[in-house]
Amino acid sequence: MIRTILTEGHPTLNAIARDVTDDELKTPELQQIIDDMISTLKSTTGVGLAAPQIGESLRIVIVDKPMTVLINPLLTPVGETKDTSYEGCLSIPGMRGEVERHQAVHVEYTDRAGKRQEATWVKFRAIVVQHEVDHLNGILYSSRASFMYPDDTQHAPKLPQHNLTSGTPRQNGGRTFVIDSDKKVGGQQHFTFTFMDAGRLSALRIAPGGAMVTAVYLTGVRLRASGFKAGAVQRMLLGVDKGLHVAQGDQLRIELRLPSGRHRIVAEADFDYNAPTPSGHLADSP
Ligand code: ZN
């Protein structure tokens, strides 16, 4: 079964995964997890996958070409030589980063049949297995990268600009807005909400999760200086006076960077018109 790949921000990706016991390895449940990992990886363009990426906090990684299943892997660097490469990760879609890794590693692991194996892997395969074993220790490559950059976005056309003055009303008084791109788009984009009534914006959620929100402005006032994942927008807004007070005609401009591809951007905004007007003022975030 193809499983959902968790993306950065999910706590399982930051946890230390536990060893698989010999008895557990023989169970159909554990073998099924391995099969799921293989089908999930094959459904992507990736070359490796770690169990925590599908929500299983177990020390299992797979590396493709040829497909190798490593249970409880142990890595020992061979020599001092390091290589720099530009890594990507299925859990950080649309981004790449420059990372330095050991050029050669000795790999010890149990295979899916329960047999101990060892090998020395070099270059690309060594890089992949180091990246995957990092996942078992709750480490994403972004924390090792000297810099990160959006992948393959330079030549993609931009989304047409949308001024979202309407949307589908939601039960709680909020609205759901949808922008569909019918061709491949990517790179820096923005969209703007115009508020037709005064009120309090209590939440805002934006998909896709792979988008990086680079800035948020309310009628020209910058609310947030640094980039963050789209899923974090809700938390950011709630951090400002437990919601944002907006006046009629105010515009909330959201700037985001998208991985190249076809996107359906869904923004859900919740309004609470009955709440008292919050005191204080909006200030730049630290
Ligand atoms: Zn990864």
Side-chain angles (χ1 to χ4, degrees), residues 48-50 53 87-92 131-132 135 139-141:
L49 188 72
Q53 291 180 280
E87 297 185 16
C89 179
L90 296 168
S91 293
I92 312 178
H131 173 118
E132 299 311 331
H135 276 298
I139 299 167
L140 295 174
Y141 81 97

Side-chain angles (χ1 to χ4, degrees), residues 5 37 40-41 47-51 53-54 60-63 90 132:
I5 296 176
M37 287 176 68
T40 304
L41 180 61
V47 287
L49 188 72
Q53 291 180 280
I54 60 161
I60 309 169
V61 307
I62 60 174
V63 177
L90 296 168
E132 299 311 331

Side-chain angles (χ1 to χ4, degrees), residues 62-75:
I62 60 174
V63 177
D64 202 359
K65 294 183 175 91
M67 184 64 76
T68 310
V69 177
L70 302 93
I71 316 289
N72 304 334
L74 282 176
L75 300 185

